């Protein structure tokens, strides 16, 4: 393998979605010096000398069922204020190259292929991508829309699990940034256990749940009992439309509630509601109402409002995960990586408090540095 070939593939499931488009455009902009790497933990001092692949060495591709070209998708995100004005044209060549590497996913309506045939086809796409670009390794990251959790009567693997199985078959590290099933299907357990590949978590922690993972330990550490914790999310875009499905919303909310139950010891009263507001586009408002007891039983309330863009919050984390998983694979680390729980609502083990997860991530960086 030549020095030119030491490159890492980043294969997005949902490659034309908002998160993947923002990550692809953002990587190109940072690599060209057009913007700073805001939000990328791997660009902070504890991680800059541990052998991570450079941003210029990343090659993007993916699967999607949509046919809107990435440059057009980026223009729409810029019009909505997600990407900076002028950025799509500045990185148009990089977006076009990535778009040329996107293959049709599935299963589409009327697709008669079996699960095995779909997995083989997706794995073949990954093998072809790696061969043509002479990639050292490829990391597959699911950033597609949330799918409903499979029911007990379902006989087919959900789409997220088909892609995950294909990643293992093609010898790729894998991360699931969505609440969808992915590697967590019982039917993939043997393949996961024997794959010898690094993989990480489920459901990225970007906004409301990030704040919950910081606040919940505060109540525990200050001995303030939480009586109820309710939340509401207002969002539009593709996520809003997908989460209008009650089954998909339930899969999403399970991760938000898990953070509280793991930290507080039990799930408090209250629910999370998700409302699709198409006019909001890719922006989201998340509101939390926390009822807790103070000294001598005094009743207190804390309310938080989080307003932001999930795509811009998620994109730097996705790039972090691609680099950390690639370096893990290069260092010979296999199986679930609980050290990357910092990025997930549903991590593969490890602590649940964000501060403890960050400490675990720092220790992991030292381990990777020692493996150079």
């Amino acid at each position: 393998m030549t020095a030119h070939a030491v490159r890492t593939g980043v294969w997005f499931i949902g490659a034309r979605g908002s998160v993947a488009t923002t990550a692809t455009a953002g990587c190109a902009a940072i690599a060209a010096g057009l913007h700073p790497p805001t939000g990328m933990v791997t660009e902070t001092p504890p991680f800059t000398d541990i052998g991570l692949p450079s941003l210029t060495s990343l090659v993007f591709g993916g699967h999607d069922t949509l046919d809107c070209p990435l440059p057009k998708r980026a223009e729409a995100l810029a019009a909505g204020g997600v990407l900076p004005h002028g950025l799509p044209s500045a990185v148009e060549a990089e977006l076009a190259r990535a778009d040329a590497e996107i293959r049709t996913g599935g299963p589409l309506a009327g697709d008669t292929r079996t699960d095995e045939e779909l997995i083989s086809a997706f794995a073949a796409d990954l093998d072809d991508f790696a061969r043509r670009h002479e990639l050292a390794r490829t990391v597959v990251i699911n950033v597609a829309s949330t799918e409903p959790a499979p029911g007990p009567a379902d006989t087919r693997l959900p789409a997220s699990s088909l892609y995950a199985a294909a990643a293992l078959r093609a010898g790729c590290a894998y991360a699931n940034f969505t609440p969808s099933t992915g590697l967590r299907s019982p039917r993939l357990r043997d393949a996961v256990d024997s794959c010898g590949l690094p993989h990480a978590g489920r459901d990225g922690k970007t906004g409301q749940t990030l704040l919950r993972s910081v606040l919940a330990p505060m109540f525990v550490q200050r001995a303030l009992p939480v009586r109820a914790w309710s939340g509401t999310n207002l969002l539009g875009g593709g996520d809003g439309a997908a989460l209008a499905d009650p089954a998909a919303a339930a899969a999403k909310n399970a991760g938000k509630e898990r953070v509280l139950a793991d930290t507080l010891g039990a799930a408090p009263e209250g629910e999370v509601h998700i409302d699709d507001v198409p006019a909001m586009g890719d922006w989201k408002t998340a509101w939390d109402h926390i009822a807790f007891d103070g000294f001598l039983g005094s009743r207190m309330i804390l309310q938080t409002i989080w307003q932001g863009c999930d795509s811009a919050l998620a994109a730097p984390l996705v790039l972090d995960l691609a680099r950390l998983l690639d370096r893990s694979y290069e260092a010979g680390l296999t199986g679930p990586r609980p050290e990357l729980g910092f990025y997930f609502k549903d991590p593969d083990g490890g602590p649940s408090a964000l501060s403890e997860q960050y400490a675990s991530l720092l220790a992991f960086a030292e381990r990777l540095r020692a493996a150079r």
Side-chain angles (χ1 to χ4, degrees), residues 72-88:
K72 290 291 185 184
R73 188 73 183 90
E75 289 175 4
L77 290 175
V82 178
L83 295 179
H85 176 72
L87 181 62

Side-chain angles (χ1 to χ4, degrees), residues 150 157-158 161 181-190 192 202:
L157 284 170
S161 295
T181 305
L183 290 180
R184 302 287 179 90
S185 170
R187 292 170 56 189
L188 298 184
R189 185 171 295 120
D190 290 344
V192 172
R202 181 169 66 169

Side-chain angles (χ1 to χ4, degrees), residues 276-299:
D276 178 27
V277 185
M280 295 183 69
D282 284 281
W283 296 85
K284 181 171 79 172
T285 295
W287 167 75
D288 271 24
H289 183 281
I290 308 160
F292 64 99
D293 290 335
F295 190 54
L296 302 178
S298 55
R299 297 294 181 95

Side-chain angles (χ1 to χ4, degrees), residues 28-320:
I30 296 166
L34 300 177
H35 287 272
T38 305
M40 288 190 65
V41 177
T42 54
E43 286 293 303
T44 60
F47 301 89
T48 51
D49 62 348
I50 64 173
L52 298 176
S54 68
L55 295 177
T56 57
S57 74
L58 302 182
V59 182
F60 293 94
H63 280 117
D64 209 318
T65 56
L66 302 177
D67 57 8
C68 178
L70 277 182
K72 290 291 185 184
R73 188 73 183 90
E75 289 175 4
L77 290 175
V82 178
L83 295 179
H85 176 72
L87 181 62
S89 60
V91 298
E92 183 176 6
E94 290 87 346
L95 290 170
R97 279 196 294 271
D99 191 70
E101 298 298 336
I102 298 175
R103 301 294 178 260
T104 302
L108 298 171
D111 195 330
T112 60
R113 288 176 292 177
T114 65
D115 286 356
E116 175 57 30
E117 289 171 333
L118 286 162
I119 292 168
S120 295
F122 297 156
D125 289 336
L126 284 161
D127 289 336
D128 178 65
F129 177 63
R131 183 181 63 256
R132 286 185 295 101
H133 291 283
E134 299 182 304
L135 301 174
R137 288 162 299 277
T138 300
V139 179
V140 175
I141 304 181
N142 183 10
V143 289
S145 296
T146 300
E147 66 188 13
D154 291 336
T155 59
R156 299 289 300 267
L157 284 170
S160 65
S161 295
L162 297 173
Y163 292 123
L168 300 188
R169 185 168 299 182
C172 303
Y174 174 86
N176 184 4
F177 209 72
T178 80
S180 302
T181 305
L183 290 180
R184 302 287 179 90
S185 170
R187 292 170 56 189
L188 298 184
R189 185 171 295 120
D190 290 344
V192 172
D193 291 344
S194 62
C195 71
L197 297 163
H199 52 89
R202 181 169 66 169
D203 199 2
K205 185 165 53 185
T206 56
Q208 183 181 43
T209 310
L210 175 67
L211 196 58
R212 286 180 166 209
S213 68
V214 173
L215 290 174
M218 176 194 72
F219 289 105
V220 173
Q221 292 160 8
R222 293 295 298 270
L224 299 171
V226 174
R227 292 184 289 108
W229 198 316
S230 301
T232 294
N233 288 262
L234 308 176
L235 70 160
D239 273 354
L243 294 172
D245 179 349
K252 182 73 172 177
N253 286 338
K256 295 177 180 291
E257 294 166 357
R258 187 182 300 108
V259 169
L260 297 182
D262 289 349
T263 305
L264 300 176
E269 293 182 8
E271 296 179 351
V272 178
H273 298 276
I274 299 177
D275 294 326
D276 178 27
V277 185
M280 295 183 69
D282 284 281
W283 296 85
K284 181 171 79 172
T285 295
W287 167 75
D288 271 24
H289 183 281
I290 308 160
F292 64 99
D293 290 335
F295 190 54
L296 302 178
S298 55
R299 297 294 181 95
M300 302 190 189
I301 298 293
L302 172 65
Q303 295 187 39
T304 66
I305 298 176
W306 179 287
Q307 293 178 302
C309 173
D310 262 358
S311 302
L313 291 165
L317 309 185
V318 165
L319 294 173
D320 278 351

